Amino acid sequence: MRILGLDPGLAIVGYGVIDVPLNNAVSGHEDVRVIDYGIIRTCTGVELSKRLQAIYEDTSSLLDELKPDLISIEKLFFYRMGNTIAVAQARGILLLCMGLRSLQHVEFSPPQVKLALTGDGRACKQEVQQAVARNLQLTTLPRPDDAADGLALALTAWYDTPTRQSATCTALSR
């Protein structure tokens, strides 16, 4: 199964794609493959409608190329009110792209992602990045941060599947 994690933002949309075994109840992290990760960037100083159009076009291309089976997207989390409306608009574009393709998606808040990867819903960004690198057997921390967040969202979706939950508890206790 291919899972795409999306971390919405107006300036930067982070994404991470993993392939996981369908019978993931008996599989470990060694069976998870990182396919791609990166960012979609829009230019500051450009009209909002053009930035949203760029997110739409780039996300559409990404979805068409990667053909994910499931998308994991970050829920809005209100900690910086000045940024919330812009992120909500970008997130709406991502949801539109998914809806037009009838793609299944799940949503997680930042504390849910932190809890799934580190066992602590208040973990710092560095701890989450280290968990992503460890669980995906990467030799370095994924960069930029937004791409790491995309991978974290994809992993969280994998951990959240019903057959995976019992195996995840074992992985988190390492």
Side-chain angles (χ1 to χ4, degrees):
M1 177 169 65
R2 181 161 289 180
I3 303 173
L4 169 63
L6 291 173
D7 179 33
L10 181 60
I12 298 173
V13 174
Y15 68 89
V17 187
I18 59 175
D19 276 352
V20 299
L22 286 175
N23 184 11
N24 55 16
V26 295
S27 299
H29 289 99
E30 64 277 357
D31 295 328
V32 177
R33 285 190 15 227
V34 175
I35 302 303
D36 193 14
Y37 60 92
I39 60 171
I40 295 169
R41 185 185 302 273
T42 67
C43 299
T44 58
V46 174
E47 180 181 326
L48 176 62
S49 63
K50 295 294 183 192
R51 294 176 81 180
L52 294 174
Q53 179 182 354
I55 291 170
Y56 173 81
E57 291 170 354
D58 290 350
T59 301
S60 292
S61 295
L62 193 66
L63 294 174
D64 292 343
E65 176 188 336
L66 297 171
K67 298 179 182 8
D69 300 301
L70 177 66
I71 299 175
S72 178
I73 187 169
E74 188 175 88
K75 285 183 187 177
L76 281 182
F77 195 70
F78 301 96
Y79 57 92
R80 279 182 264 156
M81 197 49 136
N83 189 10
T84 302
I85 293 174
V87 172
Q89 290 171 321
R91 187 174 183 279
I93 295 297
L94 299 176
L95 292 170
L96 173 66
C97 289
M98 290 183 261
L100 290 173
R101 289 163 180 75
S102 300
L103 294 171
Q104 179 184 2
H105 75 279
V106 291
E107 302 179 34
F108 299 99
S109 68
Q112 287 175 306
V113 173
K114 292 173 182 183
L115 181 62
L117 294 177
T118 70
D120 180 0
R122 295 178 313 229
C124 70
K125 189 170 275 293
Q126 180 78 11
E127 291 171 306
V128 173
Q129 290 172 348
Q130 289 170 347
V132 167
R134 182 175 55 254
N135 291 338
L136 294 175
Q137 300 175 8
L138 302 174
T139 56
T140 60
L141 296 181
R143 297 279 186 222
D145 293 353
D146 304 277
D149 292 345
L151 286 170
L153 282 154
L155 276 171
T156 301
W158 181 49
Y159 293 157
D160 193 59
T161 59
T163 58
R164 178 70 185 152
Q165 288 174 356
S166 62
T168 302
C169 294
T170 305
L172 288 176
S173 64
R174 290 184 199 166

